[in-house]
Coordinates of all heavy atoms in Angstrom, one line a residue:
M14 N 189.0 5.9 184.5 CA 189.9 7.0 184.2 C 189.5 8.3 184.8 O 190.2 9.2 184.9 CB 189.9 7.2 182.7 CG 191.2 7.4 181.9 SD 192.6 7.0 182.8 CE 193.7 6.7 181.5
K15 N 188.2 8.3 185.3 CA 187.7 9.6 185.9 C 188.3 9.9 187.2 O 188.3 11.0 187.7 CB 186.2 9.6 186.0 CG 185.6 8.7 187.1 CD 184.1 8.8 187.0 CE 183.5 8.2 188.3 NZ 182.1 8.4 188.3
S16 N 188.9 8.9 187.9 CA 189.5 9.2 189.2 C 191.0 9.6 189.1 O 191.6 9.9 190.1 CB 189.4 7.9 190.1 OG 190.2 6.9 189.5
K17 N 191.5 9.7 187.9 CA 192.9 10.1 187.7 C 193.2 11.5 188.2 O 194.2 11.7 188.8 CB 193.3 9.9 186.2 CG 194.8 10.2 185.9 CD 195.1 9.9 184.5 CE 196.6 10.1 184.2 NZ 196.9 9.9 182.8
A18 N 192.3 12.4 187.9 CA 192.4 13.8 188.4 C 192.5 13.8 189.9 O 193.2 14.6 190.5 CB 191.3 14.6 187.9
Y19 N 191.7 13.0 190.6 CA 191.6 13.0 192.0 C 192.9 12.4 192.6 O 193.4 12.8 193.6 CB 190.4 12.2 192.6 CG 189.1 12.9 192.3 CD1 188.2 12.3 191.5 CD2 188.8 14.1 192.9 CE1 187.0 12.9 191.2 CE2 187.6 14.7 192.6 CZ 186.7 14.2 191.8 OH 185.5 14.8 191.6
V20 N 193.5 11.4 191.9 CA 194.7 10.8 192.4 C 195.8 11.8 192.3 O 196.6 12.0 193.3 CB 195.1 9.6 191.5 CG1 196.5 9.1 191.8 CG2 194.1 8.5 191.7
W21 N 195.9 12.6 191.3 CA 196.9 13.7 191.2 C 196.7 14.7 192.2 O 197.6 15.3 192.8 CB 197.0 14.2 189.8 CG 197.7 13.3 188.8 CD1 197.1 12.7 187.8 CD2 199.1 13.0 188.8 NE1 198.0 11.9 187.1 CE2 199.3 12.1 187.7 CE3 200.2 13.3 189.6 CZ2 200.5 11.5 187.4 CZ3 201.4 12.8 189.3 CH2 201.5 11.9 188.2
A22 N 195.4 15.0 192.5 CA 195.1 16.1 193.5 C 195.5 15.6 194.9 O 196.1 16.4 195.6 CB 193.6 16.3 193.5
Y23 N 195.3 14.3 195.2 CA 195.7 13.8 196.5 C 197.2 13.7 196.6 O 197.8 14.0 197.7 CB 195.0 12.5 196.8 CG 193.6 12.7 197.1 CD1 192.6 12.0 196.4 CD2 193.2 13.5 198.2 CE1 191.3 12.2 196.7 CE2 191.8 13.6 198.5 CZ 190.9 13.0 197.7 OH 189.5 13.1 198.0
I24 N 197.9 13.4 195.5 CA 199.4 13.4 195.6 C 199.9 14.8 195.8 O 200.8 15.0 196.6 CB 199.9 12.8 194.3 CG1 199.6 11.3 194.2 CG2 201.4 13.0 194.1 CD1 199.9 10.6 192.9
F25 N 199.4 15.8 195.1 CA 199.8 17.1 195.3 C 199.5 17.6 196.7 O 200.3 18.2 197.4 CB 199.1 18.1 194.3 CG 199.3 19.5 194.7 CD1 200.5 20.2 194.3 CD2 198.3 20.3 195.3 CE1 200.7 21.5 194.6 CE2 198.6 21.6 195.7 CZ 199.7 22.2 195.3
S26 N 198.3 17.2 197.3 CA 198.0 17.6 198.6 C 198.9 17.0 199.6 O 199.3 17.6 200.6 CB 196.5 17.1 198.9 OG 195.6 17.7 198.1
A27 N 199.3 15.7 199.4 CA 200.3 15.1 200.3 C 201.6 15.8 200.3 O 202.2 16.1 201.4 CB 200.4 13.6 200.0
F28 N 202.1 16.1 199.1 CA 203.4 16.8 199.0 C 203.3 18.2 199.6 O 204.2 18.7 200.3 CB 203.9 16.9 197.6 CG 204.5 15.6 197.1 CD1 204.0 14.9 196.1 CD2 205.7 15.1 197.7 CE1 204.6 13.7 195.7 CE2 206.3 14.0 197.3 CZ 205.7 13.3 196.3
W29 N 202.2 18.9 199.4 CA 202.0 20.2 200.0 C 202.0 20.2 201.5 O 202.7 21.0 202.2 CB 200.7 20.9 199.5 CG 200.4 22.2 200.1 CD1 199.5 22.5 201.0 CD2 201.1 23.4 199.8 NE1 199.5 23.8 201.3 CE2 200.5 24.4 200.6 CE3 202.1 23.8 198.9 CZ2 200.9 25.7 200.6 CZ3 202.5 25.1 198.9 CH2 201.9 26.1 199.7
L30 N 201.2 19.3 202.1 CA 201.2 19.2 203.5 C 202.6 18.8 204.1 O 203.0 19.3 205.1 CB 200.1 18.2 204.0 CG 198.7 18.7 203.9 CD1 197.7 17.6 204.2 CD2 198.5 19.9 204.8
L31 N 203.2 17.9 203.4 CA 204.5 17.4 203.9 C 205.5 18.6 203.9 O 206.3 18.8 204.8 CB 205.0 16.3 203.0 CG 206.3 15.6 203.5 CD1 206.1 15.0 204.8 CD2 206.8 14.6 202.4
A32 N 205.5 19.4 202.8 CA 206.4 20.5 202.7 C 206.1 21.6 203.7 O 207.0 22.1 204.4 CB 206.3 21.2 201.3
I33 N 204.8 21.9 203.9 CA 204.4 22.8 205.0 C 204.8 22.4 206.4 O 205.3 23.1 207.2 CB 202.9 23.1 204.9 CG1 202.6 23.9 203.6 CG2 202.4 23.9 206.1 CD1 203.1 25.3 203.6
L34 N 204.5 21.1 206.7 CA 204.8 20.6 208.0 C 206.3 20.5 208.3 O 206.8 20.6 209.4 CB 204.1 19.3 208.2 CG 202.6 19.3 208.3 CD1 202.0 18.0 208.4 CD2 202.2 20.2 209.5
L35 N 207.1 20.2 207.2 CA 208.5 20.2 207.4 C 209.2 21.5 207.5 O 210.2 21.7 208.2 CB 209.2 19.3 206.3 CG 208.9 17.8 206.4 CD1 209.5 17.2 205.2 CD2 209.4 17.2 207.6
Y36 N 208.7 22.5 206.7 CA 209.3 23.8 206.6 C 208.8 24.8 207.7 O 209.5 25.5 208.3 CB 209.2 24.4 205.2 CG 209.6 25.8 205.2 CD1 211.0 26.1 205.2 CD2 208.7 26.9 205.1 CE1 211.4 27.4 205.2 CE2 209.1 28.2 205.1 CZ 210.5 28.5 205.2 OH 210.9 29.8 205.1
A37 N 207.5 24.8 207.8 CA 206.8 25.9 208.5 C 207.3 26.0 210.0 O 207.6 27.2 210.4 CB 205.3 25.8 208.5
P38 N 207.4 25.0 210.7 CA 207.8 25.2 212.2 C 209.2 25.7 212.3 O 209.5 26.3 213.4 CB 207.7 23.8 212.7 CG 206.7 23.1 211.9 CD 207.0 23.6 210.5
H39 N 210.0 25.6 211.3 CA 211.4 26.1 211.4 C 211.6 27.5 210.8 O 212.7 28.0 210.9 CB 212.3 25.1 210.8 CG 212.2 23.7 211.4 ND1 212.5 23.4 212.7 CD2 211.6 22.6 210.9 CE1 212.2 22.2 213.0 NE2 211.7 21.6 211.9
G40 N 210.6 28.0 210.1 CA 210.8 29.2 209.3 C 210.5 30.4 210.2 O 209.7 30.4 211.1
A41 N 211.3 31.5 210.0 CA 211.1 32.7 210.7 C 209.8 33.4 210.5 O 209.1 33.9 211.4 CB 212.2 33.7 210.4
L42 N 209.3 33.3 209.3 CA 208.0 33.9 208.9 C 206.9 33.2 209.7 O 206.0 33.8 210.3 CB 207.7 33.8 207.4 CG 206.4 34.3 206.9 CD1 206.3 35.8 207.2 CD2 206.2 34.0 205.5
Y43 N 206.9 31.9 209.8 CA 205.9 31.1 210.6 C 206.0 31.5 212.0 O 204.9 31.7 212.7 CB 206.1 29.6 210.4 CG 205.2 28.8 211.2 CD1 203.9 28.5 210.7 CD2 205.5 28.2 212.4 CE1 203.0 27.8 211.4 CE2 204.6 27.5 213.1 CZ 203.4 27.2 212.6 OH 202.5 26.5 213.3
L44 N 207.1 31.7 212.6 CA 207.2 32.0 214.0 C 206.7 33.4 214.2 O 206.1 33.7 215.3 CB 208.7 31.9 214.4 CG 209.3 30.5 214.4 CD1 210.8 30.6 214.8 CD2 208.5 29.6 215.4
N45 N 206.9 34.4 213.3 CA 206.3 35.7 213.4 C 204.8 35.7 213.3 O 204.1 36.4 214.0 CB 206.9 36.6 212.4 CG 208.3 37.0 212.7 OD1 208.8 37.0 213.8 ND2 209.1 37.3 211.6
I46 N 204.3 34.8 212.4 CA 202.8 34.7 212.3 C 202.2 34.1 213.5 O 201.1 34.5 213.9 CB 202.5 33.9 211.0 CG1 202.8 34.7 209.7 CG2 201.0 33.5 210.9 CD1 202.7 34.0 208.4
A47 N 202.9 33.1 214.1 CA 202.4 32.4 215.2 C 202.2 33.3 216.4 O 201.4 32.9 217.3 CB 203.3 31.2 215.6
K48 N 202.8 34.4 216.5 CA 202.7 35.3 217.6 C 201.4 36.2 217.5 O 201.0 36.8 218.5 CB 203.9 36.3 217.7 CG 205.2 35.6 218.0 CD 206.4 36.5 217.9 CE 207.7 35.8 218.0 NZ 208.8 36.7 217.9
L49 N 200.8 36.2 216.3 CA 199.6 37.0 216.2 C 198.4 36.4 216.8 O 198.3 35.2 217.0 CB 199.3 37.2 214.7 CG 200.4 37.9 213.8 CD1 200.1 37.9 212.4 CD2 200.6 39.3 214.3
P50 N 197.4 37.2 217.3 CA 196.3 36.7 218.0 C 195.4 35.7 217.1 O 194.8 34.8 217.7 CB 195.5 37.9 218.4 CG 196.1 39.1 217.8 CD 197.4 38.7 217.2
W51 N 195.2 36.0 215.9 CA 194.4 35.1 215.0 C 195.3 34.3 214.1 O 194.9 34.0 212.9 CB 193.5 36.0 214.2 CG 192.4 36.6 215.1 CD1 192.5 37.8 215.6 CD2 191.2 36.0 215.5 NE1 191.4 38.1 216.4 CE2 190.6 37.0 216.3 CE3 190.6 34.8 215.3 CZ2 189.3 36.7 216.9 CZ3 189.4 34.6 215.9 CH2 188.8 35.5 216.7
A52 N 196.4 33.9 214.5 CA 197.4 33.2 213.7 C 196.9 31.8 213.2 O 197.2 31.4 212.1 CB 198.7 32.9 214.5
F53 N 196.0 31.2 213.9 CA 195.5 29.9 213.5 C 194.7 30.0 212.2 O 194.7 29.1 211.3 CB 194.7 29.2 214.6 CG 193.4 29.9 214.9 CD1 192.2 29.5 214.2 CD2 193.3 30.9 215.8 CE1 191.0 30.1 214.5 CE2 192.1 31.5 216.1 CZ 191.0 31.2 215.4
L54 N 194.0 31.2 212.0 CA 193.3 31.4 210.7 C 194.3 31.5 209.6 O 194.1 31.0 208.5 CB 192.4 32.6 210.8 CG 191.2 32.5 211.7 CD1 190.5 33.8 211.8 CD2 190.3 31.4 211.2
I55 N 195.3 32.3 209.7 CA 196.3 32.5 208.7 C 197.0 31.2 208.3 O 197.1 30.8 207.2 CB 197.4 33.5 209.1 CG1 196.7 34.9 209.3 CG2 198.5 33.7 208.1 CD1 197.6 35.9 210.0
V56 N 197.4 30.4 209.3 CA 198.0 29.1 209.1 C 197.1 28.2 208.4 O 197.5 27.5 207.4 CB 198.5 28.5 210.4 CG1 199.0 27.1 210.2 CG2 199.7 29.4 211.0
N57 N 195.8 28.1 208.8 CA 194.8 27.2 208.1 C 194.6 27.7 206.7 O 194.5 26.8 205.8 CB 193.5 27.2 208.9 CG 193.6 26.4 210.1 OD1 194.5 25.5 210.2 ND2 192.7 26.6 211.1
I58 N 194.6 29.0 206.4 CA 194.4 29.4 205.1 C 195.5 29.0 204.2 O 195.4 28.5 203.1 CB 194.1 31.0 205.0 CG1 192.7 31.3 205.6 CG2 194.3 31.5 203.6 CD1 192.5 32.7 205.9
V59 N 196.7 29.2 204.7 CA 197.9 28.9 203.9 C 198.0 27.4 203.7 O 198.4 26.9 202.6 CB 199.2 29.4 204.6 CG1 200.5 28.8 204.0 CG2 199.2 30.9 204.6
T60 N 197.6 26.6 204.6 CA 197.7 25.2 204.6 C 196.6 24.6 203.7 O 196.9 23.7 202.8 CB 197.6 24.6 206.0 OG1 198.6 25.2 206.8 CG2 197.9 23.1 205.9
H61 N 195.4 25.0 203.8 CA 194.3 24.3 203.2 C 193.8 24.9 201.9 O 193.2 24.2 201.1 CB 193.1 24.3 204.2 CG 193.4 23.4 205.4 ND1 193.7 24.0 206.6 CD2 193.5 22.1 205.5 CE1 193.9 23.0 207.4 NE2 193.8 21.8 206.8
T62 N 194.0 26.2 201.6 CA 193.5 26.8 200.4 C 194.1 26.1 199.1 O 193.3 25.8 198.2 CB 193.8 28.3 200.4 OG1 193.2 28.9 201.5 CG2 193.3 29.0 199.1
P63 N 195.4 25.9 199.0 CA 195.8 25.2 197.8 C 195.2 23.8 197.6 O 194.9 23.3 196.5 CB 197.4 25.1 198.0 CG 197.7 26.2 198.9 CD 196.5 26.3 199.8
I64 N 195.0 23.1 198.8 CA 194.4 21.8 198.7 C 193.0 21.8 198.2 O 192.6 21.1 197.3 CB 194.5 21.1 200.1 CG1 196.0 20.8 200.4 CG2 193.7 19.8 200.1 CD1 196.2 20.3 201.8
L65 N 192.2 22.8 198.7 CA 190.8 22.9 198.3 C 190.8 23.3 196.8 O 189.9 22.8 196.1 CB 190.1 23.9 199.2 CG 189.9 23.5 200.6 CD1 189.3 24.7 201.4 CD2 188.9 22.3 200.7
L66 N 191.6 24.2 196.4 CA 191.6 24.6 195.0 C 192.0 23.5 194.1 O 191.3 23.3 193.0 CB 192.6 25.8 194.8 CG 192.2 27.1 195.4 CD1 193.3 28.2 195.2 CD2 190.9 27.6 194.8
I67 N 193.0 22.7 194.4 CA 193.3 21.6 193.5 C 192.2 20.5 193.5 O 192.0 19.9 192.5 CB 194.7 21.0 193.9 CG1 195.3 20.2 192.8 CG2 194.6 20.1 195.1 CD1 195.8 21.0 191.7
L68 N 191.5 20.3 194.6 CA 190.4 19.3 194.6 C 189.2 19.9 193.8 O 188.6 19.1 193.1 CB 190.0 19.0 196.1 CG 191.0 18.1 196.8 CD1 190.5 18.0 198.3 CD2 191.1 16.7 196.2
L69 N 189.0 21.2 193.9 CA 187.9 21.8 193.1 C 188.3 21.7 191.6 O 187.4 21.4 190.7 CB 187.7 23.2 193.5 CG 186.9 23.4 194.8 CD1 186.9 24.9 195.1 CD2 185.5 22.9 194.7
L70 N 189.5 21.9 191.3 CA 190.0 21.8 189.9 C 189.8 20.3 189.4 O 189.4 20.1 188.2 CB 191.4 22.2 189.8 CG 192.0 22.2 188.4 CD1 191.3 23.2 187.5 CD2 193.5 22.5 188.4
A71 N 190.2 19.4 190.2 CA 190.0 18.0 189.8 C 188.6 17.6 189.6 O 188.2 16.9 188.7 CB 190.6 17.1 190.9
D72 N 187.7 18.1 190.5 CA 186.3 17.9 190.4 C 185.7 18.5 189.1 O 184.9 17.9 188.3 CB 185.5 18.4 191.6 CG 184.1 18.0 191.6 OD1 183.8 16.8 191.4 OD2 183.2 18.9 191.8
W73 N 186.1 19.7 188.8 CA 185.7 20.4 187.6 C 186.1 19.6 186.3 O 185.4 19.4 185.4 CB 186.2 21.8 187.6 CG 186.0 22.5 186.3 CD1 184.8 23.1 185.9 CD2 186.9 22.8 185.3 NE1 185.0 23.7 184.7 CE2 186.3 23.5 184.3 CE3 188.3 22.5 185.1 CZ2 186.9 23.9 183.1 CZ3 188.9 22.9 184.0 CH2 188.3 23.6 183.0
R74 N 187.4 19.2 186.3 CA 187.9 18.4 185.2 C 187.2 17.1 185.0 O 186.9 16.7 183.9 CB 189.4 18.2 185.4 CG 190.0 17.5 184.2 CD 191.5 17.6 184.2 NE 192.0 16.9 183.0 CZ 193.1 16.4 182.8 NH1 194.0 16.5 183.8 NH2 193.5 15.9 181.7
T75 N 186.9 16.4 186.1 CA 186.2 15.1 186.0 C 184.8 15.3 185.5 O 184.4 14.6 184.6 CB 186.1 14.5 187.4 OG1 187.5 14.3 187.9 CG2 185.5 13.2 187.4
K76 N 184.1 16.4 185.9 CA 182.8 16.6 185.4 C 182.8 17.0 183.9 O 182.0 16.6 183.1 CB 182.1 17.7 186.2 CG 181.7 17.3 187.6 CD 181.0 18.4 188.4 CE 180.6 17.8 189.7 NZ 180.0 18.9 190.5
K77 N 183.8 17.8 183.5 CA 184.0 18.1 182.1 C 184.2 16.9 181.3 O 183.7 16.8 180.2 CB 185.2 19.1 182.0 CG 185.4 19.7 180.6 CD 186.6 20.6 180.6 CE 186.9 21.1 179.2 NZ 188.1 22.0 179.2
Q78 N 185.1 16.0 181.7 CA 185.3 14.7 181.0 C 184.1 13.9 180.9 O 183.8 13.3 179.9 CB 186.4 14.0 181.6 CG 187.8 14.6 181.4 CD 188.9 13.8 182.2 OE1 188.6 13.0 183.0 NE2 190.1 14.2 181.8
E79 N 183.3 13.8 182.0 CA 182.0 13.1 181.9 C 181.1 13.7 180.9 O 180.4 12.9 180.2 CB 181.4 13.1 183.3 CG 182.1 12.2 184.3 CD 181.5 12.2 185.7 OE1 180.5 13.0 185.9 OE2 182.0 11.5 186.6
K80 N 181.0 15.0 180.8 CA 180.1 15.6 179.9 C 180.5 15.3 178.5 O 179.7 15.0 177.6 CB 180.0 17.1 180.1 CG 179.2 17.6 181.2 CD 179.2 19.1 181.3 CE 178.4 19.6 182.5 NZ 178.4 21.0 182.6
Q81 N 181.8 15.3 178.2 CA 182.4 15.1 176.9 C 182.1 13.6 176.5 O 181.8 13.3 175.4 CB 183.9 15.4 176.8 CG 184.2 16.8 176.8 CD 185.7 17.1 176.8 OE1 186.5 16.2 177.0 NE2 186.0 18.4 176.6
S82 N 182.2 12.7 177.4 CA 182.0 11.3 177.1 C 180.5 11.0 176.9 O 180.2 10.2 176.0 CB 182.5 10.4 178.3 OG 181.8 10.6 179.4
K83 N 179.6 11.7 177.6 CA 178.2 11.5 177.4 C 177.8 12.1 176.0 O 177.0 11.6 175.3 CB 177.4 12.2 178.5 CG 177.4 11.5 179.8 CD 176.6 12.2 180.8 CE 176.6 11.4 182.1 NZ 175.8 12.1 183.2
K84 N 178.5 13.2 175.7 CA 178.2 13.9 174.4 C 178.6 13.0 173.3 O 178.0 12.8 172.2 CB 178.8 15.2 174.3 CG 178.4 16.1 173.1 CD 179.1 17.4 173.1 CE 178.6 18.3 174.2 NZ 179.2 19.7 174.1
A85 N 179.8 12.3 173.4 CA 180.3 11.4 172.4 C 179.4 10.2 172.3 O 179.2 9.7 171.2 CB 181.7 11.0 172.7
E86 N 178.9 9.7 173.4 CA 178.0 8.5 173.3 C 176.7 8.8 172.6 O 176.2 8.0 171.9 CB 177.8 8.0 174.7 CG 178.9 7.3 175.4 CD 178.6 7.0 176.8 OE1 177.5 7.2 177.3 OE2 179.6 6.4 177.5
T87 N 176.2 10.0 172.9 CA 174.9 10.4 172.2 C 175.1 10.7 170.8 O 174.1 10.5 170.0 CB 174.3 11.6 172.9 OG1 175.2 12.7 172.9 CG2 173.9 11.2 174.4
S88 N 176.2 11.1 170.3 CA 176.4 11.5 168.9 C 176.7 10.2 168.1 O 176.6 10.3 166.9 CB 177.6 12.5 168.8 OG 178.8 11.9 169.2
E89 N 177.1 9.1 168.7 CA 177.4 7.9 168.0 C 176.2 7.1 167.6 O 175.2 7.1 167.6 CB 178.3 7.0 168.8 CG 179.7 7.5 168.9 CD 180.5 6.6 169.8 OE1 180.0 5.6 170.4 OE2 181.7 6.9 169.9

């Protein structure tokens, strides 16, 4: 059960990347950003920050559940 959070995180990541890759190249905002000299940094931040945050949240939740299960085992 501890990998359930990671499964949801990877599903969210797949949908996020799919949405970004389908929408971004056709959006006017993306085209305006792409003209900037450091545009690759902005694009990478927009693309990868939500994925990193959701994976960190999944890791935190998994560790929290492990602590609770260890605490329950020791109290029994």
Side-chain angles (χ1 to χ4, degrees):
M14 226 15 156
K15 74 179 192 177
S16 65
K17 186 176 182 179
Y19 291 116
V20 170
W21 285 111
Y23 286 122
I24 290 171
F25 171 79
S26 299
F28 280 118
W29 176 256
L30 285 175
L31 187 64
I33 290 293
L34 291 175
L35 289 176
Y36 171 74
H39 305 291
L42 179 63
Y43 179 80
L44 294 175
N45 287 335
I46 290 173
K48 295 175 186 175
L49 299 174
W51 292 93
F53 68 95
L54 289 176
I55 297 169
V56 171
N57 284 339
I58 288 170
V59 168
T60 305
H61 294 102
T62 301
I64 294 171
L65 291 174
L66 288 176
I67 198 74
L68 287 173
L69 287 172
L70 182 65
D72 188 49
W73 173 75
R74 183 167 182 204
T75 302
K76 287 180 180 179
K77 183 178 174 184
Q78 288 175 347
E79 286 176 358
K80 283 183 183 179
Q81 288 177 350
S82 66
K83 285 181 183 179
K84 191 180 287 186
E86 288 175 2
T87 57
S88 66
E89 290 177 353

